[in-house]
């Protein structure tokens, strides 16, 4: 099982690609493909047929996944690398830059 230092709900910054510099909250992590969904980033237009939920149909903007290596965790306003600190029985994530 793969382990990533970025979790769902974290605020991340895109460091590579077309959406470089934009920030958002992690909605979902797709572990088997090493990909992540970030809120409001990498939006694509999806054409939808009319249905019971959406009788009009049309074009819907939704987030597409991006590779997890293209995002970096944000601490305050700065993108930081993540490390771990073990205190007795607890293991906590810390920022390599600020040690918080």
């Amino acid at each position: 099982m793969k382990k990533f230092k970025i979790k769902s709900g974290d605020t991340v910054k895109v460091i590579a690609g077309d959406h470089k510099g934009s920030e958002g909250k992690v909605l979902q992590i797709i572990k088997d493909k090493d990909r992540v969904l970030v809120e409001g980033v990498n939006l694509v237009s999806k054409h939808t047929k009319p249905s019971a939920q959406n009788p009009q149909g049309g074009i819907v903007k939704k987030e597409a996944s991006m590779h997890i290596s293209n995002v970096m965790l944000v601490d305050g306003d700065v993108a930081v690398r993540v490390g771990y600190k073990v205190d007795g029985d607890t293991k906590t994530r810390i920022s390599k830059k600020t040690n918080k």
Side-chain angles (χ1 to χ4, degrees), residues 3-100:
K3 292 192 176 190
F4 300 114
K5 295 182 179 182
I6 295 173
K7 309 286 182 207
S8 294
D10 287 344
T11 304
V12 293
K13 184 174 193 174
V14 180
I15 58 171
D18 292 339
H19 302 282
K20 181 178 180 176
S22 54
E23 292 184 15
K25 193 169 113 178
V26 175
L27 299 174
Q28 181 184 5
I29 293 180
I30 306 164
K31 288 193 175 196
D32 57 333
K33 294 185 179 180
D34 299 346
R35 297 183 81 78
V36 63
L37 275 176
V38 182
E39 184 177 41
V41 179
N42 199 19
L43 294 174
V44 294
S45 299
K46 183 161 173 61
H47 297 265
T48 58
K49 283 184 168 184
S51 65
Q53 291 87 7
N54 187 8
Q56 188 70 13
I59 301 171
V60 176
K61 293 269 190 184
K62 67 183 287 187
E63 293 92 0
S65 66
M66 62 176 57
H67 200 268
I68 200 161
S69 67
N70 293 339
V71 297
M72 205 168 179
L73 195 68
V74 171
D75 182 25
D77 292 337
V78 185
V80 294
R81 286 181 289 160
V82 182
Y84 289 101
K85 187 176 190 179
V86 178
D87 292 326
D89 295 340
T90 59
K91 183 178 177 183
T92 56
R93 291 187 302 165
I94 61 164
S95 159
K96 293 271 193 173
K97 194 171 273 189
T98 62
N99 285 329
K100 285 198 256 177

